[in-house]
Amino acid sequence: MNMADTSMAATGQGVQVGGATMVSSKNIVENAIASNDHTTLVAAVKAAGLVETLSGAGPFTVFAPTNEAFAKLPAGTVDNLLKPEMKADLAKVLTYHVVAGSYKAADLKNGMELTTVQGGKIKLTEKDGSWWVNDSKITVADVVSSNGVTFVIDGVLMPK
């Protein structure tokens, strides 16, 4: 996969995401809360009632959209999904970003399909030296937490 060449490989000190060091002693949610780039995702996880689940034993692999990724959605999409009556729909979108098991960059294969917790499939592809999940680019790989691995992505994955 050769992510080391793009300075995105995890070090013993943890990976920098959103101005904070992601550390393997914290769970996926605790690390996401520390990232300034994931405040929308954290708010959505809280609104969907998924904090406890994603703080659980796992292991999980999470494809975590940045605030910029959420901002690319059509106007009003995020606000609508955060409404209490949309909790089930929001949970479907968020669980489409989660895969059971712990996958690292080295485990990814071009064309590989993974089944998400939501039930749909996501496809991983390598194009021009970068990795993509569906139509979103992986910008940071191998953010290791106590209960899994996170990949930062530049788009929001929408289930079919």
Side-chain angles (χ1 to χ4, degrees), residues 38-79:
H38 291 89
T39 55
T40 304
L41 177 62
V42 168
V45 167
K46 288 177 179 176
L50 293 171
V51 171
E52 194 173 313
T53 302
L54 292 175
S55 297
F60 303 108
T61 300
V62 176
F63 295 91
T66 60
N67 295 340
E68 285 182 9
F70 280 102
K72 289 183 199 174
L73 293 172
T77 302
V78 174
D79 289 338

Side-chain angles (χ1 to χ4, degrees), residues 29-155:
V29 174
E30 290 168 334
N31 272 323
I33 288 170
S35 168
N36 293 329
D37 290 344
H38 291 89
T39 55
T40 304
L41 177 62
V42 168
V45 167
K46 288 177 179 176
L50 293 171
V51 171
E52 194 173 313
T53 302
L54 292 175
S55 297
F60 303 108
T61 300
V62 176
F63 295 91
T66 60
N67 295 340
E68 285 182 9
F70 280 102
K72 289 183 199 174
L73 293 172
T77 302
V78 174
D79 289 338
N80 189 48
L81 282 171
L82 291 175
K83 291 177 182 171
E85 63 271 22
M86 297 299 288
K87 185 175 178 178
D89 290 337
L90 178 60
K92 283 179 189 163
V93 171
L94 293 175
T95 55
Y96 188 66
H97 291 77
V98 181
V99 175
S102 184
Y103 292 88
K104 288 192 175 174
D107 301 319
L108 304 183
K109 307 275 185 269
N110 195 22
M112 155 184 241
E113 285 193 348
L114 298 173
T115 301
T116 67
V117 171
Q118 179 266 346
K121 290 195 182 299
I122 53 174
K123 187 171 185 177
L124 292 141
T125 50
E126 187 178 16
K127 292 185 257 190
D128 302 322
S130 296
W131 279 86
W132 299 73
V133 54
N134 292 355
D135 295 323
S136 297
K137 186 178 183 179
I138 296 173
T139 58
V140 181
D142 293 348
V143 180
V144 177
S145 297
S146 61
N147 63 341
V149 179
T150 301
F151 290 85
V152 178
I153 58 174
D154 72 353

